[in-house]
Every structure is written in structure tokens, then in C-alpha cells.
Amino acid sequence: MKLFVGLGNPGSKYAQNRHNIGFMAMDQIASDHGFAPFKGKFQGALTEGRLGREKVLLLKPETFMNLSGQSVGEAMRFYKIAPEDVVVFHDELDLKPGKLKYKMGGGHAGHNGLRSIHQHIGEAYGRVRMGVGHPGRKDLVSHYVLHDFHKMDQDWLDDMLRGISDGAAHLAEGDTAKFSNAVAMRLNPPRPSTGKANPNAKANTKPETRTETPKPEPVPTPAPTEDSRSPLQKLMDKFS
């Protein structure tokens, strides 16, 4: 069994905040893969279903971000889930908007939700780092992450969430490369053909058809023109 945790803050006031992108990921997976409705449990909202061959729990801690570890710890202890079977989805300031990276273990980099999880279960869990960009100054970070996404962010945000859902089964089964590729296919789909010849295509082996060059038609001899000889010349020619 795997536990996917999306970080965020509860309530409609925060629903579209950058800090709530983890909640958004859980909602997308649950909707696309036919999970049961979320129910209140372990100080959070929980649902369960299957992704590929794996049974997976989706958890949205409702303790507010700074206490997320309490909810995660309770769920893990109840289901006897090891830290390496936990994946946390969260906003990442150090990645540009629309960028995503998977990471196993490591520090919390100042993220309050991860800091709390570290305190309750240690650091040996997976993270899906969902880039939201940085406001440029440390004193602006709190306002930035607790502010809604802009309209111009909606295209890449929708692609990222759909890509996460596309690759969720791969992630549950431990194939992080296929998971990352599924997200990349949404965020950076293959370009249409440029019309250039494929260098790997086989050469045309159809025999060449030779075209004979037509011979020029003979130029007709012009008809003789009116006799321009003098009468004397005509008479001399007659008796010659």
C-alpha cells in the first residue's frame, strides 16, 4: 500500500492558493481514477483506490500546513506504512512555474509542511516538487504562496495536474522515470512535423523511369518562289 499526501490549507479561502497545489494534485488523481469521495479521517481528508497494481491512499491533511506531519503520522501508523512508501506533493519555490521534479529523501528547504512531516516520520520519504516560482525576495514568500494562481498560470497548471494524474500509476509502482515522462508529455508535448525529410527513412527504391527526348521534326523545304529570271535568260535556258 502507498500513501500519497498533498499539502495545503483547508477551506475555500485557500483553495486556489499556490500553497495548495498539493491538494489540487490529490483532487485530480481522485477524480480521474475513480476514487471514492474524500472523508474526514486522521485530521485530514482521506480516500482510497487503485493505481495500476497498487492500492493507494490519498490524504489531504487539514491541520493547516505547519502541522501537516500530525495527520501523515497518524495515517502511517494506522495502516503500518513505511516512510519509503509515502510520496508528498508540494509547492516548490526553487523551481520555475510549470517545472516538476521527483526527489527521495533530503532536507525540507524551509518548507513548513515538509518540516512538520520530518518531525513526525523522518526524511526518508518521496516528494513531488511542483514548481511555482519565487517572488524574488524572502520577505514576500508568505504573501506569494498564500495568493491565488494568476489566470496566465492556468494553462501550465492544468497540464501539470493532468500529467501527474496520467503518471500516477507509474509513481505508485515505483517507476519514477515513467511518471516524470508522463508529466513532461503534458507540459512539453512533441512538436508537429516540420516537413523536413526523415534522415532515417528508407530511400526510394522504385526504378527510375527514363524519358526519351523526342527527335526534332524535319523542317519542310520551302516551296519555290516565283521565277525571277529575265526573258532573255529563259530563252537561252530553253535552247541550252
Side-chain angles (χ1 to χ4, degrees), residues 21 90 92 95-100 129-133 156 160:
I21 196 171
H90 65 91
E92 177 58 70
L95 292 178
K96 293 180 180 180
K99 297 293 183 182
L100 178 146
R129 304 165 64 211
M130 306 168 69
V132 297
W156 71 256
M160 179 182 283

Side-chain angles (χ1 to χ4, degrees), residues 123-142:
E123 63 178 46
Y125 58 91
R127 306 96 191 270
V128 174
R129 304 165 64 211
M130 306 168 69
V132 297
H134 197 286
R137 285 172 26 202
K138 188 175 181 179
D139 59 307
L140 297 177
V141 166
S142 180

Side-chain angles (χ1 to χ4, degrees), residues 87 100-104 126-129 171 176 179-180:
V87 181
L100 178 146
K101 289 187 178 181
Y102 172 84
K103 176 183 179 182
M104 171 59 80
R127 306 96 191 270
V128 174
R129 304 165 64 211
L171 184 61
T176 57
F179 166 71
S180 297

Side-chain angles (χ1 to χ4, degrees), residues 133-168:
H134 197 286
R137 285 172 26 202
K138 188 175 181 179
D139 59 307
L140 297 177
V141 166
S142 180
H143 173 76
Y144 180 75
V145 297
L146 294 175
H147 193 277
D148 288 357
F149 282 104
H150 292 304
K151 287 184 178 180
M152 65 181 182
D153 294 320
Q154 292 307 310
D155 285 345
W156 71 256
L157 177 59
D158 183 65
D159 287 341
M160 179 182 283
L161 295 174
R162 290 180 183 277
I164 286 171
S165 181
D166 291 345

Side-chain angles (χ1 to χ4, degrees), residues 174-193:
D175 195 331
T176 57
K178 285 186 177 180
F179 166 71
S180 297
N181 186 60
V183 179
M185 289 293 287
R186 285 283 189 176
L187 291 169
N188 302 292
R191 294 181 179 180
S193 174

